[in-house]
Amino acid sequence: MHIVAVLALDQVIPFDLSVPIDTFGRVRLPDGEEPYEVRVCSVAPEVRAAGGAFTVRAPHGLETLAEADTIILPGQADPAEPLPPGVADALRTAAANGTRIASICVGAFVLAATGLLDGRRATTHWAAARHLAERHPRVTVDPKVLYVDNGQFLTSAGAAAALDMCLHMVRKDHGSAVAAHTARMSVMPLEREGGQAQFIVHELPPAPAGTTLEPVLRWLEDNCDRNLTLEEIASHAGMSTRTLNRRFREQTGTTPLQWLHRARVRRAQYLLETTPYPVERIALKAGFGSPTAFRERFRRVVGTSPRAYRKAFRTARD
């Protein structure tokens, strides 16, 4: 059982606290097993939530950090608040033992205060990025990404970026299929546009079950290896190309061909993670016209090369 310790300090931000508890608690392996045990810990038995709406009774103390495989650091209402006695030492000791430590939003201030981010790239909520950089000049702060993975240490931006980072960790631990199932259970918007160059779970833009496009989406996913045209997709759907484009915009937020490109990238990610096929063969199986087109599209969507992606995720799981 992989123990995830969530450290709740005084004035903890409720959303930051709840995301890792809920996300890791939803993870199920193919056989139904629960791979994570989530423990909330703190310095005191009871801490206040930011805004004063409620208090949190943490059932575990700082000793849990020494037992954890992963430690999550939620943010506090005042990110400049000094760390309580014992917290920095406990985190540094855990890090020396190889424990994975991740911060959420302004929880990066807690992690940076230990010195563990010195000389490393990190992120936080965009509104706090300048403050973090000024307070900890030895940390390279990047406010343009959802999260940064340094291997043992991870940092995420504000709010929903915590979901991206948690799903990323699940994916590194257990693969894309388990992470995708967890995302669906969390009703997570899986398509995240922007300049996020880390290994984000690039799932397909979701459409609500029972919508008119649901059969078309299933057909597209099953046939994404074919050289499909917009006209062929519209013909299969029994619509004009204009109506098809409108329905896609309404129900998935993207176009049919963009959705198809994402489906192909997702298939390629799965094949890179689960098969020994060479990149050239994966390009064909995923529906790309050539290995060059595959590499260009993959890098544009995922932010890295197919070979680097395979090395990162197969090594993490094997």
Side-chain angles (χ1 to χ4, degrees):
M1 183 69 72
H2 185 116
I3 297 175
V4 178
V6 184
L7 180 60
L9 299 178
D10 198 41
Q11 292 291 322
V12 63
I13 296 174
F15 187 85
D16 293 5
L17 177 66
S18 63
V19 166
I21 296 172
D22 190 59
T23 304
F24 287 106
R26 290 181 184 273
V27 180
R28 297 293 182 273
L29 299 183
D31 61 2
E33 180 184 351
E34 301 177 22
Y36 298 103
E37 177 187 342
V38 183
R39 300 179 183 177
V40 178
C41 61
S42 188
V43 177
E46 189 171 283
V47 295
R48 298 169 296 170
F54 59 89
T55 57
V56 178
R57 292 183 179 179
H60 302 280
L62 284 183
E63 68 278 357
T64 294
L65 300 184
E67 304 169 358
D69 300 287
T70 296
I71 297 172
I72 308 292
L73 305 174
Q76 298 172 267
D78 181 4
E81 184 74 20
L83 295 185
V87 170
D89 287 341
L91 291 172
R92 283 192 285 261
T93 299
N97 291 331
T99 303
R100 180 171 62 185
I101 305 177
S103 65
I104 294 174
C105 193
V106 292
F109 284 78
V110 177
L111 188 52
T114 67
L116 294 171
L117 289 181
D118 287 356
R120 292 185 167 91
R121 180 168 160 259
T123 194
T124 186
H125 194 290
W126 61 268
R130 174 185 250 176
H131 185 194
L132 180 64
E134 292 173 348
R135 190 176 181 85
H136 300 282
R138 297 185 63 185
V139 180
T140 302
V141 181
D142 186 348
K144 298 179 181 179
V145 294
L146 286 178
Y147 59 88
V148 174
D149 182 354
N150 286 302
Q152 185 181 3
F153 306 111
L154 299 90
T155 53
S156 75
L163 280 165
D164 292 283
M165 183 182 69
C166 288
L167 288 171
H168 170 71
M169 289 190 281
V170 172
R171 185 171 194 166
K172 290 193 75 172
D173 292 344
H174 300 290
S176 60
V178 172
H181 174 73
T182 306
R184 286 193 294 271
M185 293 300 294
S186 301
V187 198
M188 171 67 177
L190 299 175
E191 184 64 25
R192 303 278 286 177
E193 296 292 345
Q196 302 85 24
Q198 296 295 320
F199 299 109
I200 298 171
V201 180
H202 288 280
E203 273 289 349
L204 304 175
T211 60
T212 57
L213 285 182
E214 189 177 5
V216 182
L217 299 182
R218 287 200 304 268
W219 179 79
L220 276 176
E221 191 167 2
D222 291 341
N223 293 274
C224 68
D225 58 326
R226 294 174 50 196
N227 185 25
L228 297 172
T229 64
L230 181 61
E231 289 73 20
E232 187 174 357
I233 298 170
S235 176
H236 178 84
M239 307 175 190
S240 67
T241 55
R242 183 176 180 179
T243 299
L244 181 71
N245 274 318
R246 187 179 72 251
R247 295 277 176 85
F248 258 80
R249 285 292 185 189
E250 292 171 350
Q251 297 181 27
T252 72
T254 189
T255 68
L257 292 181
Q258 285 297 321
W259 200 96
L260 180 59
H261 288 321
R262 298 290 182 172
R264 288 169 173 161
V265 169
R266 282 289 299 117
R267 176 170 290 188
Q269 287 177 302
Y270 176 78
L271 293 172
L272 287 167
E273 293 179 23
T274 60
T275 74
Y277 298 156
V279 168
E280 291 73 16
R281 185 176 179 186
I282 288 177
L284 294 176
K285 282 186 166 290
F288 292 92
S290 69
T292 299
F294 167 49
R295 290 186 178 94
E296 291 177 355
R297 173 69 62 172
F298 193 89
R299 182 177 289 278
R300 186 155 64 246
V301 173
V302 182
T304 190
S305 70
R307 292 187 189 280
Y309 181 90
R310 166 175 274 168
K311 182 178 179 181
F313 285 101
R314 284 187 67 87
T315 300
R317 295 171 55 203
D318 293 346

